[in-house]
Amino acid sequence: MAADQDHEQEQRRRLLAVASRFPLPNGARFSYGTAGFRADGATMASAVCRAALLAALRSVKLAGAAVGIVITASHNPVRDNGVKIADPDGGMMDQCWEPFADTLANAPDPDALLQLVLQFAKDEGIPLGRGGHHTAQVLLGRDTRPTGEYLLDAALQGINAIVGARAIDMGILTTPQLHWMVRSKNKGIKASESDYFTQLIDSFRRLLELVPKDKGGDDLSKKLIVDGANGIGGVKLEQIKAELSGLNIIVRNSGKEGEGILNHMCGADFVQKERVTPHGFSPDDIGVRCASLDGDADRLVYFHVSSASNNSVALVDGDKILSLFALFIREQLDIISDNGGQANKPLPSRLGIVQTAYANGASTKFLKSLGLEVVFTPTGVKYLHKKALEYDIGIYFEANGHGTVLFSEDFIAQLESLSNELCSRADTAQYQAAMRLMAASQLINQAVGDALSGFLLVEAILQYKGWSFQNWCELYSDLPSRQLKVKVIDRTAIITTDAETKVSQPSGLQELIDMEIANYAHGRCFVRPSGTEDVVRVYAEASTQEAADSLAKSVACHVESLLG
Ligand code: 16G
Ligand code: MG
């Protein structure tokens, strides 16, 4: 009893102490958006400390399961930083805790913070102040930003403010590595960085061993230049590239001293938005397959340098990566169920494709033409991921290159039992298709979109199909599109429905958008408030670039005159 009281006192003391060490900067206001908290790195210590404290609370609530913290601002400029929390399954923190994340981050003084935490713990039934054993564990990762180390210290202090919580610093990592480690740790499987690399290297090798003998390809088809955005993805790739047999990888913007600035004129976000070659690429690279990661390596796009006279690129975005994955998986499922006329036990294979309104209309049409089920969610990985979990195999991608393929446990179990049944007939097409799916499920990150595991799956599929970059590009032609952003006084005045394809507020705006769309062949347009910037985004698509530009511009004018 006395010991309990001591622990309670100690808990209060620690919360007050940490709150006074990391006060909310004057005038700052933090909001836990699609990517967690983001701001200028120098102003983030209090938000990072409190997010870490929240992660520890979440771990206590979930009976000590490991929770993750990633300190990164992804594709944003090097001076920015950010923090987000990963749940025990490796996915994003459950949205129902986001409002409290906001309240906690904005607590004005130590006493307010203490009261908020105590009240929240009471409401959520979180047993605080139990000493003696580890009641919470939080895994921490950070990217290469210069503010990373100082924010790591703030995070460690936030975790240590919860009695019984243990912080485990996993070091400088890609965002998907940390999510993978959290998931693995809670599944009781090996969760170190070398385990992650081994899984990638082994499953990639197994996929290549299953490439039909007449496919594969020549030396050029095995060459890949990777733009590492001068971030952590390039660093990690340098560490493992020699072990990726069957590929000749050259890393540019690798993050080495002197190579350039993080995300500056390079990286997946830059290439996808600007459609030009990243820093360090030139017409000498014409004809070679190139891939671009973002600063924390959770986004991936591909490109070809397309012209010697200007720096334009032929882009393969997340939609086309998704289409390649969907095609491959559909093909393997078909091989398994078609047993040369003999009935095969069908696998439970509800295959679902998840996109957002930004998906190019041509990709959706292509996927539907394959007979696939395509559904839409609002922008933000947490929405797509959750939807994809509803399927036996759920493939999700945002056009910006963030996505993965999720295999349900039930599906994997059935796949395992099928391959055991078939293993005496290892030369059959069925067995090999089952083994390909099994290897793909081990290669592609099951916790979150991962550019490193994503590009390895792309490379394995291209070799399996014997496809060039050009073959892949020609799956379908993107409809011309345009994105604009409009600065408004209050972006929350826009409320959307139907996975952000329609505006419900302010009233009248959707009618104006519909009127504009009616002027264009194959016109499509939507607006949505950004989750990461103080702007409203406008996206338009039409049959020509001029039409897409003009549709986006007229809708942006309506937004500006209603809300500007
Ligand atoms: C964040 C999201 C990304 C989304 C983007 C939209 C995560 C990990 N990242 O970067 O999925 O596409 O925000 O930004 O969820 P916006 O709301 O500013 O358009
Ligand atoms: Mg990122």
Side-chain angles (χ1 to χ4, degrees):
M1 197 63 202
D4 279 357
Q5 274 176 4
D6 285 352
H7 286 314
E8 235 179 271
Q9 281 307 321
E10 171 64 9
Q11 182 57 79
R12 285 167 181 264
R13 191 194 62 72
R14 287 199 199 177
L15 286 168
L16 287 170
V18 85
S20 29
R21 227 170 294 138
F22 295 100
L24 184 68
N26 267 340
R29 200 163 167 87
F30 291 100
S31 160
Y32 198 93
T34 32
F37 296 123
R38 288 249 169 106
D40 188 315
T43 68
M44 292 262 344
S46 70
V48 169
C49 168
R50 293 165 193 207
L53 193 162
L54 187 67
L57 284 177
R58 189 139 181 88
S59 176
V60 180
K61 159 97 185 180
L62 301 172
V67 169
I69 278 277
V70 194
I71 300 170
T72 176
S74 180
H75 55 282
N76 293 104
V78 65
R79 67 169 181 281
D80 288 0
N81 217 326
V83 61
K84 59 187 167 189
I85 300 172
D87 253 358
D89 65 357
M92 306 291 165
M93 179 178 75
D94 194 314
Q95 286 160 55
C96 69
W97 273 40
E98 288 182 7
F100 184 66
D102 285 356
T103 315
L104 188 65
N106 296 306
D109 56 60
D111 213 43
L113 184 137
L114 172 68
Q115 294 313 322
L116 280 170
V117 171
L118 295 181
Q119 187 59 45
F120 183 71
K122 197 163 154 216
D123 296 346
E124 287 279 329
I126 301 172
L128 270 191
R130 302 264 170 88
H133 54 281
H134 289 309
T135 51
Q137 47 179 335
V138 181
L139 269 50
L140 299 108
R142 64 187 197 280
D143 70 13
T144 51
R145 284 162 205 273
T147 47
E149 203 169 330
Y150 132 85
L151 292 175
L152 172 72
D153 178 57
L156 291 172
Q157 297 201 41
I159 295 162
N160 291 330
I162 298 299
V163 173
R166 182 161 68 117
I168 308 168
D169 177 15
M170 306 303 290
I172 299 183
L173 298 171
T174 71
T175 293
Q177 279 186 306
L178 195 272
H179 284 259
W180 181 92
M181 287 170 181
V182 170
R183 182 173 189 273
S184 302
K185 193 157 178 72
N186 289 313
K187 280 180 149 293
I189 50 186
K190 291 181 180 166
S192 73
E193 178 168 70
S194 76
D195 298 320
Y196 168 87
F197 286 150
T198 304
Q199 185 164 332
L200 246 54
I201 293 162
D202 287 357
S203 50
F204 178 66
R205 183 180 32 78
R206 269 182 282 128
L207 268 174
L208 290 195
E209 284 165 5
L210 290 158
V211 168
K213 296 281 170 283
D214 59 332
K215 297 283 170 51
D218 54 15
D219 284 351
L220 181 60
S221 73
K222 293 183 175 150
K223 181 169 173 186
L224 176 73
I225 311 179
V226 178
D227 158 25
N230 287 311
I232 185 62
V235 176
K236 300 295 177 189
L237 186 52
E238 283 285 9
Q239 283 175 29
I240 58 165
K241 70 176 196 190
E243 289 176 75
L244 296 167
S245 49
L247 273 187
N248 168 14
I249 298 174
I250 298 159
V251 185
R252 303 238 178 99
N253 302 323
S254 69
K256 279 191 209 107
E257 251 334 282
E259 247 203 280
I261 300 167
L262 175 70
N263 297 325
H264 179 66
M265 311 281 285
C266 60
D269 192 59
F270 174 80
V271 174
Q272 194 242 347
K273 292 229 169 80
E274 307 299 328
R275 315 238 157 164
V276 295
T277 48
H279 173 78
F281 287 72
S282 75
D284 292 347
D285 302 317
I286 288 180
V288 184
R289 205 164 52 252
C290 305
S292 218
L293 324 177
D294 75 337
D296 65 336
D298 63 355
R299 288 193 196 180
L300 168 71
V301 297
Y302 270 74
F303 66 93
H304 247 190
V305 178
S306 53
S307 155
S309 57
N310 62 29
N311 57 351
S312 65
V313 298
L315 178 76
V316 164
D317 63 2
D319 301 337
K320 223 167 232 174
I321 296 173
L322 182 155
S323 300
L324 184 73
F325 288 176
L327 205 64
F328 171 75
I329 287 170
R330 178 75 270 160
E331 200 171 315
Q332 305 315 308
L333 290 172
D334 288 348
I335 296 174
I336 292 172
S337 56
D338 167 33
N339 196 11
Q342 293 171 20
N344 230 4
K345 193 174 75 186
L347 286 169
S349 53
R350 231 187 120 218
L351 174 58
I353 309 294
V354 189
Q355 298 192 302
T356 72
Y358 287 112
N360 195 279
S363 75
T364 311
K365 197 167 154 206
F366 169 76
L367 291 159
K368 286 188 173 165
S369 77
L370 298 177
L372 296 168
E373 182 178 336
V374 186
V375 292
F376 289 84
T377 71
T379 303
V381 172
K382 59 191 173 192
Y383 301 111
L384 290 114
H385 190 95
K386 195 164 167 205
K387 193 74 199 170
L389 283 170
E390 291 176 13
Y391 295 88
D392 293 308
I393 306 176
I395 314 179
Y396 73 85
F397 260 89
E398 294 189 307
N400 63 24
H402 194 128
T404 191
V405 186
L406 301 179
F407 293 83
S408 75
E409 288 193 359
D410 192 37
F411 179 79
I412 295 293
Q414 306 237 19
L415 200 55
E416 268 166 8
S417 84
L418 178 70
S419 30
N420 288 338
E421 253 170 59
L422 292 171
C423 72
S424 60
R425 295 186 284 137
D427 54 343
T428 59
Q430 278 77 21
Y431 178 75
Q432 298 194 357
M435 295 313 284
R436 277 187 208 107
L437 287 181
M438 195 87 91
S441 76
Q442 281 154 4
L443 175 55
I444 194 88
N445 196 320
Q446 296 296 288
V448 78
D450 180 339
L452 294 182
S453 73
F455 97 75
L456 289 174
L457 185 55
V458 166
E459 292 299 316
I461 297 176
L462 291 179
Q463 293 204 20
Y464 162 76
K465 293 188 88 62
W467 270 10
S468 66
F469 182 83
Q470 201 55 30
N471 296 134
W472 183 17
C473 273
E474 284 166 2
L475 276 182
Y476 58 83
S477 303
D478 278 320
L479 277 168
S481 66
R482 174 64 58 205
Q483 281 199 55
L484 295 176
K485 51 184 178 183
V486 184
K487 279 226 173 292
V488 295
I489 295 164
D490 177 14
R491 73 189 199 272
T492 62
I494 293 210
I495 298 175
T496 61
T497 61
D498 295 356
E500 301 180 324
T501 53
K502 294 261 177 303
V503 173
S504 57
Q505 303 248 345
S507 68
L509 177 55
Q510 187 58 48
E511 287 71 18
L512 291 169
I513 298 174
D514 290 340
M515 254 170 48
E516 295 297 345
I517 292 175
N519 296 327
Y520 299 90
H522 300 289
R524 187 169 73 90
C525 183
F526 66 91
V527 305
R528 54 175 284 276
S530 158
T532 62
E533 264 185 84
D534 220 3
V535 296
V536 169
R537 299 203 193 279
V538 179
Y539 176 90
E541 230 171 62
S543 49
T544 65
Q545 190 60 56
E546 296 69 35
D549 291 353
S550 131
L551 175 55
K553 211 165 150 204
S554 12
V555 169
C557 286
H558 288 305
V559 173
E560 207 159 2
S561 61
L562 276 175
L563 299 169

